[in-house]
Amino acid sequence: MNKGIMMWINRKLKGTRDESGFTLIELLVVIVILGILAAILIPKIATSSDEAKKSTCETNMNMIESAAQRYYFDNDAYPALGDLEPDYLNQTPVCPFGDLYTIDATGNVNRAAHAH
């Protein structure tokens, strides 16, 4: 018999293969691992985004309240939010949640739900 044919028969009997690549099982294992990692990381990313929005909102409210106090010292009355521009605020801050900021009669700043 030919030596090449004998080698081919030996490979087939031993179950060795010449093909390169991944088996379906290997691909499924990788996909499952990636799914598990995504399930762990996505909630943490979403939570940190909400925390950043809350922090931005609080900072905006403190800045508006500070400007309202300065307005009060100059005018002996608390302003409406629009009265603060441009002398006390360069630009009215935008709520990251889409809500509107309001200033009450005592100078406190509140976040009012935005009518969609």
Side-chain angles (χ1 to χ4, degrees):
M1 261 198 211
N2 186 339
K3 186 176 182 179
I5 294 173
M6 289 300 292
M7 288 176 58
W8 180 81
I9 292 172
N10 280 337
R11 276 196 311 254
K12 291 296 178 186
L13 291 174
K14 290 181 182 177
T16 59
R17 298 187 308 188
D18 290 344
E19 299 107 22
S20 61
F22 299 105
T23 65
L24 181 59
I25 298 297
E26 291 169 332
L27 291 174
L28 288 174
V29 167
V30 169
I31 290 170
V32 167
I33 291 171
L34 290 175
I36 291 169
L37 289 174
I40 292 170
L41 294 176
I42 289 174
K44 292 183 186 239
I45 292 170
T47 301
S48 65
S49 175
D50 285 344
E51 291 299 320
K53 285 181 180 180
K54 286 178 186 174
S55 176
T56 299
C57 188
E58 288 175 15
T59 300
N60 288 346
M61 290 173 64
N62 288 336
M63 184 171 48
I64 293 168
E65 193 166 317
S66 174
Q69 291 297 325
R70 289 193 322 268
Y71 183 97
Y72 179 82
F73 291 135
D74 291 343
N75 299 290
D76 291 325
Y78 286 106
L81 188 58
D83 296 336
L84 295 175
E85 285 186 55
D87 297 329
Y88 299 91
L89 288 174
N90 291 332
Q91 181 178 353
T92 301
V94 177
C95 178
F97 294 105
D99 295 338
L100 300 174
Y101 296 118
T102 59
I103 302 172
D104 67 16
T106 60
N108 293 319
V109 178
N110 301 302
R111 195 176 92 199
H114 182 66
H116 296 287

